[in-house]
Amino acid sequence: MNGDEFRKAADAATASIVFDSRAVLDGVYAKNRRRTRGRRTMAAVPIAAALAVGGVTLPSIISPSSSETAVAAYRFDTTPADAPVVAEVDGIKLHYLPDGVAAEPISLERSPYFGGTSTSGCFEDACVSGLGVSVTRRPGLTLEEHVKVNWFGDPVETTVGGQPALANGVKADDAAGLVWSPEVGVVVEVHFGKGRAAELRKVVEAMSL
């Protein structure tokens, strides 16, 4: 099925739903043009296509007060204001990188995202098995909205800086992947590959806005 046929099928499947399927699909196509990260279990999922094949149950996002977290909470934005910034991805500052990880990303790509932007920085191995940081910005964006069109596989609940978060690649009390919203309008993803969960915690807990 080519792009035009896919759009027509999506429009027909969602004719009774009030939303702009063309804008959704345009955003998904733009996002998918970015380099595929092999270890990343989250992939863009067009809502229209999901409806056309019978629908998908999407994960809900809990508030910190409604359930106990399954992975120990992460700190965030507690680094002193005068701490050196070793790297930055679209306004998210990294104050710590493990030994051997260069401060300059191997690649830094920005794509349109439903009226906003999504910026992905790969610091190692073109994000195949090394550190990758993605920052998505759009006015009013929440984590719950973000995961409706960006699938995050095998999610485990936790919090980052007191805000609801999803983790995956969990080992012991840490995870290899993390997605959360530090404030409305911003969603951050950090992935570090299997077997490096403790390093991801150190990186995240030394981040700041």
Side-chain angles (χ1 to χ4, degrees):
M1 181 179 291
N2 61 33
D4 289 339
E5 291 172 339
F6 183 59
R7 289 178 188 275
K8 290 177 182 177
D11 287 339
T14 59
S16 62
I17 300 174
V18 180
F19 83 106
D20 187 347
S21 62
R22 181 170 294 274
V24 171
L25 292 171
D26 285 343
V28 170
Y29 291 148
K31 187 175 182 67
N32 282 340
R33 282 195 291 269
R34 286 183 287 168
R35 192 186 307 272
T36 300
R37 292 185 283 180
R39 76 185 187 299
R40 182 178 174 186
T41 56
M42 182 169 18
V45 178
I47 295 174
L51 291 171
V53 296
V56 173
T57 301
L58 298 168
S60 61
I61 305 301
I62 62 166
S63 65
S65 61
S66 67
S67 174
E68 294 182 0
T69 57
V71 173
Y74 291 72
R75 298 189 308 276
F76 178 74
D77 213 6
T78 58
T79 303
D82 59 351
V85 176
V86 297
E88 186 170 344
V89 177
D90 196 15
I92 298 297
K93 301 176 179 63
L94 285 76
H95 300 275
Y96 165 82
L97 289 173
D99 291 342
V101 177
E104 188 70 24
I106 293 173
S107 66
L108 188 64
E109 300 179 7
R110 176 173 292 188
S111 301
Y113 183 91
F114 309 138
T117 61
S118 184
T119 303
S120 180
C122 297
F123 288 83
E124 297 177 281
D125 199 15
C127 283
V128 173
S129 60
L131 174 61
V133 178
S134 176
V135 180
T136 302
R137 294 181 179 272
R138 194 205 70 206
L141 179 65
T142 66
L143 178 58
E144 185 171 9
E145 293 174 47
H146 183 78
V147 299
K148 286 181 179 178
V149 291
N150 293 272
W151 190 252
F152 192 79
D154 300 320
V156 176
E157 294 164 352
T158 185
T159 62
V160 178
Q163 299 299 318
L166 295 175
N168 64 13
V170 176
K171 181 179 180 181
D173 201 25
D174 293 292
L178 200 62
V179 57
W180 79 99
S181 175
E183 63 181 22
V184 175
V186 181
V187 172
V188 180
E189 292 180 55
V190 185
H191 294 266
F192 222 146
K194 295 180 179 179
R196 304 176 72 184
E199 291 180 329
L200 180 137
R201 181 174 287 274
K202 291 180 181 178
V203 169
V204 169
E205 294 193 342
M207 282 182 163
S208 65
L209 287 167

